[in-house]
Amino acid sequence: MVAAQLLPDLFKRWFESRGWAPRPHQLALVELARQGKSALLIAPTGGGKTLAGFLPSLIELTERRQAGQDLAYKKGQGELHTLYISPLKALATDIRRNLEQPLAEMQLPVRAESRTGDTPQSRRLRQRERPPDLLMTTPESLALLLSYLDAAKFFASLKCVIIDELHAFATSKRGHHLALCLSRLATLAPQARFVGLSATVADPPALAEFLNLRDQPVEIVMGEPGAPPVVSIIDAHERLPWGGHMGRHAVPEIYNIIRQHKTSIIFVNTRAQAELAFDALWRINDDNLSIGLHHGSLAVEQRRKVEAAMAAGKLRAVVATSSLDLGIDWGDVDLVIQMGAPKGVSRLMQRIGRANHRLDEPSRAMIAPANRFEVLESLAALEAVEARELDGDPPRPPCLDVLAQHIVGSACAQPIDREAFFAEVRRAQPYRDLPRKDFDDTFDFVATGGYALAAYDRWHRLKQLPDGRWMLASPLVAKQFRMNVGTIVELPLMKVRLRRGAVLGEVEEGFVQGLVPGDTFVFAGRLLRFEGVKELAAICSPAFSGDPKVPAYGGGRLPLSTFLADRVRGILQDPLKHPKLPAEVQEWLRIQVFRSMLPPADKLLVEGFPRGGKQFLVAYCFEGRNAHQTLGMLLTRRMERMGLRPLGFVATDYVLGLWGLRSASPKQLDELFDEDMLGDDLEAWMDESSMLRRSFRNVAVIAGLIERRFPGEEKSRRQVTFSSDLIYDTLRQHEPNHILLRATRQDAAWQLADLKRLGDLLKRAKGRIVYRRLDRISPLAVPVLLEIGKERVLDGTAEDELLDIAAQELIDEATRL
């Protein structure tokens, strides 16, 4: 259908005034909206996805009001028409700001506002009393809105729900929470349609099902492909490190590249890396370029200041984590630099899309690998980008702790009919196959705490009414819910405050506990001296010298995706691709072939060699750090039983290294890597280790069994740990099949152990282990052994000062022919 038939004259004139023509996918969403159909729009960055999502709502609101059909508008009352949900607070604010221009230029009678955790309380109250037409928010703020007594009235007029960057939610606990909230919205607003927006989708039909809340097909609209991105690997002109993760060697070249571009975003993978990269750039900033820092632990005022400066074109560069990954539209950004390997192709494509928001011109990006293995990973990512191939996570089982939180939130707003609520829960895509027993057990836990906890009134959160429905047992339950809502469980945080000055942001409580007065650390782009703790804040003053620490945060490094791991194995086995690698890496691989062999794509290479009176085993698994850490735990248990006297292990994304006092024979290797370790050995290790306790702690917080924040107080990490450990031991003893213990085992298997990848590795290795017994270390084994001797000042995310005398001796030993 042509634009003349779909767009009112006012909108046609607006497109023409800007020299634009509406794109086919934008018109397609207008037509689908008129048919009342839900849709998933997949279009590249710069393709006008956001405008496509809002355009039907703007047209409908304008036409209704021009025709005098909107009674609430006539009376000066507000009715919510469109809800926009973003994974980031910054994105919700950015979208609201970007909508101001078309609203003003067309003089549309439409109000648009944002609502996040950073929104002042006075504005949030006003929004509930007089809702805007368009509301931009986050999943957590949506869950809060759904928990209020006026939720049914607030959402009754809702016609459209837009979920931006939908792929970012699909397989996470946050996504499960959002899916349940969307199903609740479908109940409260039966006329609402659901629209998903995304640029990077590995499996479109599967993602579209996330929006299927009416048992009707969701239309998939494909935007025209944009110009392919131009991506390259930075040649730092410095000696390429053998190990480490910070990429400090590349900072001078990155600074030169920033000087040659208008505005750059330097993406890193951790908040600690962001602080260090920012500090390193400022140390050599002889031109006094405006360089900003942005990550989730900074104070909201500082983040907004950086966002506003970027939007105004006042910054030459900003160092950022995933806090700026998604959707932020800064047209002046002409280059993205990924510092350190991207760990996943979809993540890299998402970040590349921040550069050059024009569909017909390529986005430009560069990757600065931190070490030699990361060069291989970066080349693998480049090849995937050129082939337009994406990776994605497999679906995860329904998260029962999230369901428990959602039950409480729903009961905060109105009494629950258990049968109707079960049907509503099953409408959410991650819960379509939820067994009735799991639902009933979760509901009973929310109501009474379950068998083992039923004697304690504090865990009786629901009570049954005479008509059979369930309501909150106490108003205090609602207060506790609203203070603890969400699925992002971070360790307890502590504010960082300048003496007689502003709050700079928050760091984890455990980091502050490790400081003594006089210690220096880097935070918010400043060198600070710790003075002490006062009124639950770390009091600091500016420092001008010292050996600083950098706060590390829970969540750690991102694991290498299975898709990229397969490509790295392919590069190692394809000599025709080796000329694409830097000369240092080519020489590294050449000596590896001479000393041992390159890891084969379809077998598992294991090397054994003596060093320093110990026997080392190095396995080239390429299954990511999480899977390797679990495998290391299980292998050391087996080595102990075999009498090999293991002493320890260390894991990287690519390699697992173990050491002990005795070497393993080829026959013992087959037994060590047997698939049956995922049975009894895994169960025994999980029971003995702190892994399940840590996982239970997170599950208990999300499910509301333990409140991190309580009216009038906030629990410390020690208090949360003590409470959760006590309850964990009680449940294991008296109700081992409690729903939260089941959720904990499921959570541990999914998030902490990466068992599926481990199982695939063991299947691939069965009968296909290639064992090389060497007289000394091989070149490819050097990086993992460097991890053993690395000083861990910062919880494993410290700056990597690896090439000291001992490390150089290791390298010399490996490369001696």
Side-chain angles (χ1 to χ4, degrees):
M1 194 175 286
V2 297
Q5 297 170 286
L6 286 171
L7 291 184
D9 289 342
L10 176 62
F11 289 83
K12 281 189 290 184
R13 289 195 301 270
W14 180 73
F15 272 95
E16 291 166 358
S17 71
R18 300 187 66 85
W20 296 347
R23 299 190 184 278
H25 58 264
Q26 293 172 330
L27 297 175
L29 258 60
V30 173
E31 175 59 21
L32 289 170
R34 288 185 173 168
Q35 298 173 23
K37 291 184 177 180
S38 295
L40 169 63
L41 171 59
I42 302 171
T45 299
K49 286 191 303 296
T50 307
L51 180 58
F54 282 104
L55 192 57
S57 298
L58 297 177
I59 291 172
E60 182 183 340
L61 283 165
T62 302
E63 288 181 336
R64 274 173 49 194
R65 287 168 183 181
Q66 287 178 342
Q69 296 172 346
D70 194 328
L71 295 179
Y73 177 72
K74 280 183 175 181
K75 295 177 181 178
Q77 299 169 347
E79 278 190 345
L80 180 65
H81 180 282
T82 296
L83 184 70
Y84 166 93
I85 302 167
S86 154
L88 298 175
K89 291 185 282 189
L91 181 53
T93 303
D94 181 67
I95 294 299
R96 193 265 311 151
R97 185 170 54 234
N98 289 344
L99 271 177
E100 288 175 356
Q101 189 171 17
L103 293 179
E105 290 176 349
M106 287 186 277
Q107 296 183 323
L108 300 181
V110 174
R111 280 195 307 126
E113 295 185 10
S114 61
R115 181 190 182 96
T116 70
D118 297 336
T119 304
Q121 177 69 9
S122 59
R123 191 184 308 163
R124 280 184 270 171
L125 288 172
R126 177 180 54 73
Q127 286 171 345
R128 286 172 57 197
E129 293 168 359
R130 184 171 176 256
D133 303 303
L134 314 177
L135 182 63
M136 295 79 186
T137 192
T138 61
E140 292 73 30
S141 290
L142 171 59
L144 281 171
L145 284 169
L146 287 169
S147 76
Y148 292 124
L149 295 174
D150 59 359
K153 178 184 176 184
F154 184 83
F155 290 110
S157 58
L158 186 65
K159 300 294 191 298
C160 177
V161 182
I162 302 169
I163 305 100
D164 206 351
E165 309 291 358
L166 179 59
H167 66 280
F169 293 113
T171 60
S172 66
K173 284 196 174 189
R174 200 176 182 213
H176 284 215
H177 194 200
L178 174 61
L180 290 168
C181 290
L182 294 180
S183 188
R184 180 105 279 250
L185 284 177
T187 298
L188 298 178
Q191 73 282 10
R193 56 191 176 82
F194 296 85
V195 178
L197 309 176
S198 188
T200 53
V201 180
D203 187 351
L207 191 62
E209 276 301 301
F210 202 89
L211 304 168
N212 185 1
L213 296 153
R214 305 274 184 228
D215 199 21
Q216 297 172 351
V218 174
E219 299 290 330
I220 299 175
V221 178
M222 301 295 297
E224 55 191 296
V230 176
V231 190
S232 59
I233 297 176
I234 290 176
D235 181 357
H237 306 296
E238 296 280 344
R239 183 178 182 183
L240 190 61
W242 287 65
H245 304 276
M246 292 300 166
R248 290 289 294 267
H249 72 288
V251 168
E253 184 60 26
I254 289 173
Y255 180 74
N256 287 331
I257 292 168
I258 292 171
R259 293 171 60 199
Q260 297 163 21
H261 288 80
K262 186 174 182 180
T263 308
S264 305
I265 301 180
I266 300 98
F267 278 114
V268 296
N269 293 334
T270 69
R271 284 172 275 188
Q273 191 179 7
E275 294 280 358
L276 288 165
F278 178 78
D279 179 67
L281 285 168
W282 266 103
R283 287 177 186 273
I284 60 172
N285 190 7
D286 295 334
D287 298 322
N288 203 28
L289 303 179
S290 298
I291 302 174
L293 174 66
H294 194 288
H295 62 70
S297 292
L298 299 178
V300 61
E301 294 80 12
Q302 179 159 342
R303 296 199 306 270
R304 284 185 171 170
K305 184 178 178 181
V306 170
E307 292 158 15
M310 281 292 284
K314 295 179 179 178
L315 291 182
R316 291 292 298 277
V318 61
V319 179
T321 60
S322 56
S323 60
L324 293 186
D325 261 9
L326 303 167
I328 306 292
D329 185 4
W330 289 319
D332 286 339
V333 175
D334 55 352
L335 181 70
V336 160
I337 298 172
Q338 168 65 44
M339 200 166 174
K343 303 302 170 190
V345 183
S346 295
R347 182 181 299 111
L348 177 61
M349 286 297 294
Q350 193 72 49
R351 291 179 167 183
I352 290 172
R354 299 308 103 222
N356 187 24
H357 275 233
R358 287 177 289 278
L359 189 64
D360 54 350
E361 296 180 18
S363 297
R364 299 186 179 275
M366 294 180 168
I367 305 175
N371 59 56
R372 298 179 180 215
F373 268 119
E374 285 199 357
V375 171
L376 300 175
E377 184 185 333
S378 298
L379 178 59
L382 256 62
E383 291 182 347
V385 168
E386 290 172 3
R388 293 186 181 247
E389 295 177 356
L390 299 172
D391 46 17
D393 296 321
R396 70 186 294 165
C399 298
L400 302 178
D401 51 343
V402 176
L403 174 59
Q405 184 181 129
H406 180 67
I407 291 170
V408 176
S410 300
C412 289
Q414 62 186 55
I416 295 176
D417 180 299
R418 189 162 173 156
E419 293 302 315
F421 194 74
F422 176 59
E424 181 181 297
V425 166
R426 291 267 297 233
R427 196 164 53 197
Q429 188 270 334
Y431 295 85
R432 295 252 164 94
D433 298 321
L434 178 71
R436 180 64 197 237
K437 177 173 172 41
D438 283 356
F439 172 80
D440 285 337
D441 288 350
T442 306
F443 201 99
D444 291 343
F445 155 69
V446 172
T448 67
Y451 167 75
L453 304 175
Y456 301 90
D457 288 344
R458 61 172 297 190
W459 288 306
H460 287 233
R461 290 181 283 175
L462 301 181
K463 62 182 179 183
Q464 196 166 19
L465 296 169
D467 63 5
R469 292 181 303 159
W470 294 79
M471 67 172 287
L472 290 187
S474 160
L476 184 61
V477 176
K479 288 184 180 179
Q480 292 168 343
F481 168 82
R482 292 177 185 131
M483 292 189 70
N484 293 277
V485 69
T487 62
I488 303 173
V489 180
E490 293 182 317
L491 294 172
L493 300 175
M494 183 174 286
K495 285 183 170 57
V496 176
R497 185 190 301 275
L498 286 175
R499 182 161 48 96
R500 295 189 297 274
V503 172
L504 300 180
E506 295 177 315
V507 297
E508 287 182 1
E509 180 187 280
F511 175 74
V512 176
Q513 288 173 348
L515 298 175
V516 297
D519 279 355
T520 59
F521 65 102
V522 175
F523 182 70
R526 307 187 190 197
L527 182 61
L528 303 172
R529 175 166 283 102
F530 176 66
E531 297 188 358
V533 174
K534 184 178 180 181
E535 295 176 353
L536 298 180
I539 307 302
C540 305
S541 59
F544 304 98
S545 63
D547 184 16
K549 299 180 179 181
V550 177
Y553 298 85
R557 301 172 189 150
L558 302 164
L560 177 69
S561 74
T562 304
F563 177 79
L564 268 189
D566 290 341
R567 278 191 169 272
V568 170
R569 279 194 289 262
I571 289 172
L572 284 170
Q573 280 301 302
D574 188 350
L576 295 178
K577 293 182 178 178
H578 292 185
K580 298 179 182 178
L581 299 167
E584 286 176 289
V585 178
Q586 292 186 52
E587 180 70 3
W588 182 50
L589 299 183
R590 187 187 68 78
I591 300 174
Q592 174 69 20
V593 171
F594 181 82
R595 294 277 296 108
S596 175
M597 66 181 290
L598 292 176
D602 58 346
K603 296 182 176 68
L604 175 62
L605 172 64
V606 179
E607 295 173 342
F609 52 84
R611 191 169 198 280
K614 303 180 185 69
Q615 295 293 330
F616 285 82
L617 274 181
V618 175
Y620 297 89
C621 306
F622 294 96
E623 291 299 341
R625 182 182 306 271
N626 292 346
H628 293 170
Q629 286 177 333
T630 304
L631 181 59
M633 292 281 193
L634 298 177
L635 287 175
T636 50
R637 288 177 62 89
R638 291 199 159 185
M639 291 171 70
E640 185 69 42
R641 289 205 303 268
M642 289 178 177
L644 300 179
R645 301 182 66 183
L647 298 174
F649 75 92
V650 66
T652 70
D653 268 326
Y654 318 100
V655 181
L656 171 65
L658 306 102
W659 61 96
L661 297 180
R662 295 175 183 167
S663 61
S665 68
K667 182 181 178 184
Q668 286 175 316
L669 275 184
D670 287 333
E671 295 175 16
L672 277 175
F673 285 89
D674 194 282
E675 284 182 86
D676 65 4
M677 78 162 65
L678 294 184
D680 293 343
D681 275 357
L682 178 64
E683 287 291 329
W685 167 63
M686 289 173 77
D687 284 344
E688 291 172 10
S689 75
S690 63
M691 177 184 178
L692 281 182
R693 291 182 182 275
R694 188 168 65 246
S695 185
F696 179 80
R697 196 177 310 146
N698 292 343
V699 165
V701 168
I702 291 173
L705 186 67
I706 296 171
E707 300 90 8
R708 225 176 0 169
R709 302 177 189 89
F710 196 82
E713 64 180 67
E714 180 161 342
K715 288 189 178 180
S716 70
R717 174 167 53 176
R718 183 174 297 175
Q719 288 172 316
V720 170
T721 301
F722 176 76
S723 302
S724 66
D725 285 353
L726 193 62
I727 297 170
Y728 176 73
D729 290 335
T730 301
L731 291 180
R732 282 191 62 193
Q733 181 177 355
H734 299 288
E735 196 177 354
N737 201 37
H738 190 280
I739 191 67
L740 289 195
L741 292 182
R742 278 146 51 193
T744 296
R745 288 189 285 269
Q746 179 194 89
D747 211 37
W750 174 265
Q751 187 141 8
L752 301 177
D754 217 348
L755 290 183
K756 184 181 184 305
R757 293 184 70 170
L758 183 53
D760 292 343
L761 164 67
L762 295 177
K763 285 178 185 175
R764 192 170 66 247
K766 190 170 184 177
R768 304 173 74 86
I769 294 176
V770 180
Y771 181 47
R772 286 285 189 270
R773 181 68 193 173
L774 310 176
D775 60 352
R776 62 182 185 270
I777 187 173
S778 73
L780 258 62
V782 169
V784 75
L785 262 68
L786 288 176
E787 291 281 326
I788 297 171
K790 190 171 77 172
E791 183 183 7
R792 294 187 173 274
V793 179
L794 312 176
D795 261 357
T797 55
E799 178 183 1
D800 303 302
E801 299 292 347
L802 292 171
L803 296 180
D804 55 12
I805 295 173
Q808 190 58 52
E809 289 176 357
L810 196 65
I811 293 166
D812 291 343
E813 179 184 331
T815 54
R816 187 173 71 247
L817 299 179

